Amino acid sequence: MDARLDFFADPTTGKALKQFMALGKALKESSLPATTQELVSLRVSQINGCAVCIDMHTKEAAAAGETSVRMNLVAAWREATVFTAAERAALELAEEGTRVADAAGGVSDEVWANAAKHYDQEQLAALTLLISAMNLANRLNIITQQPAGNYVAGQFH
């Protein structure tokens, strides 16, 4: 499969995507744990069916020390015993924040309160930006049919 667009070939989109990548770098530098960021990014990408982001975030998660067991179970995190309460809260927030069209109320107060029990204000802000950014990245990649499989951990950071 060939990509429909090369975002970096156009000066306007290239500039915008460099800014978007700067957001990703800032999130990586936040106090939100790296493994949580990768698990959330992976789950959002699974929900949206973004192969290129699934490829990227499984490789980044492995590079951050994540185990294959946990990466394989993130799709069924509710039934898995390998995630902490904080990670479960982040994954639940990621699901509700991604499935806004499916859940007419958006993110419920209960899900937000649960996340707030585990993360401070800075981490909640980072988590919210991460979920939103992953949904944007997924849509860009899906619309333009970006191919998956060739990502190398650390390639964009």
Side-chain angles (χ1 to χ4, degrees), residues 92 95-108 111:
E92 187 172 35
E95 285 194 2
E96 284 201 5
T98 298
R99 293 184 164 140
V100 292
D102 300 337
V107 174
S108 70
V111 167

Side-chain angles (χ1 to χ4, degrees), residues 27 32 93 112 122-133:
L27 291 172
L32 186 64
L93 182 63
W112 182 262
E122 177 191 349
Q123 293 169 323
L124 279 172
L127 190 53
T128 301
L129 282 170
L130 176 63
I131 294 164
S132 301

